[in-house]
Amino acid sequence: MLDRIRIVLIGTSHPGNIGGAARAMHNMGLSDLALVAPRCTAVTADSVSRASGADHLVNGATVNETLEQAVADCTLVVGASARSRTLPWPMITPRDLGVRLPMELADREARVALVFGREDSGLTNTELQRCHAHVHIPTNPDFSSLNLAAAVQVLAYECRLAWLDQQEIPAEGPNQALATHAELEHYFAHLERTLVAIGFHDPAMPRQLMARLRRFTLRARPERMELNILRGILSDTDKLIPERDSDEGQHHER
Ligand code: SAH
């Protein structure tokens, strides 16, 4: 189970934090580290020293250009956030996360990503909206932001507790394979194209429509089969949309 939990660090600027995160992971038995557009060199004297014997995790980390690449094969993506955002998203505690993990990972192909943001600015709203849920580590509200590696430590510890618990009780998994992040993103892109084509969605006046549809869909945790049905509906809808020679008349009044 621990092999299928990925720690994703976005835009990290201090090599020491990458080393510190690797140490926290190795202490708790996690091994899958992915960096997204790091703003520093990952392997430095500082990161090796902070890794304190876990530098093989730093050396083995994948380096990705985008969050999408880093989590494409994951069935659950959870973003760690120190602050609440304007559009509330399903919010879980580190303990809730631990409780969910055995179920989430019961299917051998399932993978979970825990996504952490930049030291100075955290995760962007766009990045957070790519997550099924957000996890907030309860802290002093007047001083809520943990050091990046410390935040990794807290969540990695909950992963370990969940794994230890699970050694005794075999968990039952979901019956059907859940959709991966990449499949969900293809669906959202298709949905947006079709909604624009039928005049329901105007990208010039988005009114959070796509974000709200994302939140709704991600809350439902669709299975691959269910997503295929939705995409089938979109494809049949596309066939009913008359071909247009020009852009004229694309925007209908609602
Ligand atoms: N100054 C940033 C916080 C950066 S801390 C901000 O205001 O958003 C770096 C990362 O550590 C955060 O992006 C988040 O992923 C994680 N983190 C720090 N404190 C956290 C907390 N209390 N709960 C959950 N994640 C936290």
Side-chain angles (χ1 to χ4, degrees), residues 36-116:
V36 175
R39 289 178 292 164
C40 64
T41 310
V43 185
T44 66
D46 217 15
S47 66
V48 170
S49 136
R50 285 276 305 278
S52 181
D55 41 309
H56 58 289
L57 260 63
V58 180
N59 286 314
T62 63
V63 181
N64 305 268
E65 280 175 28
T66 63
L67 172 62
E68 281 66 29
Q69 284 166 7
V71 302
D73 58 340
C74 294
T75 42
L76 177 72
V77 181
V78 179
S81 176
R83 295 175 283 137
S84 57
R85 307 297 172 123
T86 33
L87 181 64
W89 218 252
M91 182 64 96
I92 57 174
T93 65
R95 192 55 46 91
D96 296 334
L97 172 69
V99 169
R100 274 175 75 164
L101 284 177
M103 237 280 280
E104 292 292 343
L105 290 165
D107 175 352
R108 297 241 149 239
E109 291 195 13
R111 277 180 194 278
V112 171
L114 306 180
V115 183
F116 297 81

Side-chain angles (χ1 to χ4, degrees), residues 80-83 116-123 135-137 139 144-146 148 151:
S81 176
R83 295 175 283 137
F116 297 81
R118 300 155 190 82
E119 291 95 333
D120 47 356
S121 55
L123 294 167
V135 60
H136 174 71
I137 301 165
T139 42
S144 65
S145 169
L146 274 78
L148 173 60

Side-chain angles (χ1 to χ4, degrees), residues 142-168:
D142 299 330
F143 194 60
S144 65
S145 169
L146 274 78
N147 163 264
L148 173 60
V152 171
Q153 181 72 77
V154 172
L155 297 194
Y157 173 64
E158 291 295 339
C159 295
R160 182 150 197 96
L161 286 190
W163 178 73
L164 285 171
D165 267 1
Q166 206 221 358
Q167 299 312 298
E168 285 149 36

Side-chain angles (χ1 to χ4, degrees), residues 16 26 53 63 71-72 144 148 154-155 162 195 200 211 216 230 244 252:
H26 194 38
V63 181
V71 302
S144 65
L148 173 60
V154 172
L155 297 194
L195 292 181
F200 186 80
F216 166 69
L230 291 173
R244 287 203 173 85
H252 311 291

